[in-house]
Amino acid sequence: MGFATNAIHVGQEPDPATGAIVAPIYQTSTYVQEEFGKYRQGYDYARTNHPNRKALEKTLAKLEGGHSAYVFTSGMAGIDSVFRLLRPGDHVILSEAVYGGVYRLSTQLLVHFGIEFSFVDTSAPELVMASMRPNTKMVYVETPTNPTMRVTDIAAMAKVANDRNVTLVVDNTFLSPYLQRPIELGAHIVVHSMTKYLNGHSDATGGAVVLTRPEDSEKIYFIQRSAGAGLAPMDCFLISRGIKTLAIRMLQHNANGIAVARHLDAHPKVRKVYYPGLPTHPQHEIARKQQRGPGAMISFDLGTEEAAKRFLNQVKLCSLAESLGGVETLISLPAVMTHASMPKEVQERIGITEGLVRLSVGIEDVEDILADLDQALLYV
Ligand SMILES: Cc1ncc(COP(=O)(O)O)c(C=O)c1O
């Protein structure tokens, strides 16, 4: 079956108890035993598992082409679970322009548990190779990176990882499995903030971990039920509902993204546009090779923080907010919003300038998005 069919039907079967075409929200914390030690369908307690979670996990494993998937209360909870596969003394190489929350989790929390982290430009496989240590156990890649849109060649990175027997983790949040399938390119684990495109409607938070190896799957399920960050029934229901339209939403996001990026690139007030779909992007060819489209995440530089703030205060259709991947166009200033936890010198090194604006292009009529951006750019 094709992607859109799978997104609508896999894990989204009618409710076996009633035939309801949409399975109900199993809003219960516990499950009654038929007789001592015997459960009707294997569910005993909602922290451990529940039907809405199981359904969503089945859909995700299918869409990413994995062996199994587990869902968590947020993207960060899922990513934290992946790092818990490690032991004190292990070393991880991460994309240097990683999401600010991942930077904070690793440098301010997990370092205290004896895990070592190096931040490297993963768009250059030779730099990753040179950063390997005898205790390196994981390479963690975000591609494209948030918010600088740097692209890593996943297949090349998988080769580097496999040569050293290291686990390759790819954060696929910015593109969703519709536009990029990292497991087909050799990734061992895929993570998502489902808060973004997978849900798509800005009404729930969630994280996903998709595995390819049964041994990782067992460990992640153990972490999920032991640490208790598994996703609740209502949120699973909302995200399962959102995924049904993922294919068609991503098509429109992608088309709008291309149109907006081209428009901004030609605008005299915009100093630089960061978007893998532009031929001037340094990894344009890699993006063309491994992505089904450039997506709808765009960053652009307005020169100074003052200019960026004047612009952000004038947008009307675009919503000034954290997050991305919703049907509505969202706009933000990474240096003081999503990436505020990153020290200034790190921001400067990786290109998060004070005037860098991040745009998550929604699926409104593109003419309306362009008109709003144009009127706000008059104030720059
Ligand atoms: C690329 C990326 N990964 C992970 C996360 C974390 O996800 P969540 O906010 O759902 O915890 C985010 C959040 O913005 C993100 O942009």
Side-chain angles (χ1 to χ4, degrees), residues 149 257 260-261 264 273-275 296-300 357-359 361:
M149 304 306 296
V260 171
L264 290 172
V273 177
Y274 298 80
Y275 183 65
M297 294 303 301
I298 302 170
S299 292
F300 57 100
V357 173
R358 191 189 76 180
L359 190 59
V361 181

Side-chain angles (χ1 to χ4, degrees), residues 74-77 79 99 102 140 142 146 171 173-174 192-196 205-207 323-324 338 358:
S74 66
M76 290 314 305
I79 292 163
Y99 166 59
V102 176
Y140 180 98
E142 216 178 273
N146 181 359
D171 184 332
T173 299
F174 265 34
H192 272 281
S193 169
M194 297 194 294
T195 316
K196 313 300 184 324
T205 67
S323 203
L324 59 105
T338 50
R358 191 189 76 180

Side-chain angles (χ1 to χ4, degrees), residues 26-45:
Y26 286 89
Q27 196 64 47
T28 180
S29 58
T30 192
Y31 292 81
V32 175
Q33 304 188 13
E34 278 189 316
E35 59 184 74
F36 189 79
K38 189 169 169 218
Y39 290 94
R40 221 174 277 259
Q41 287 188 29
Y43 299 107
D44 56 0
Y45 185 57

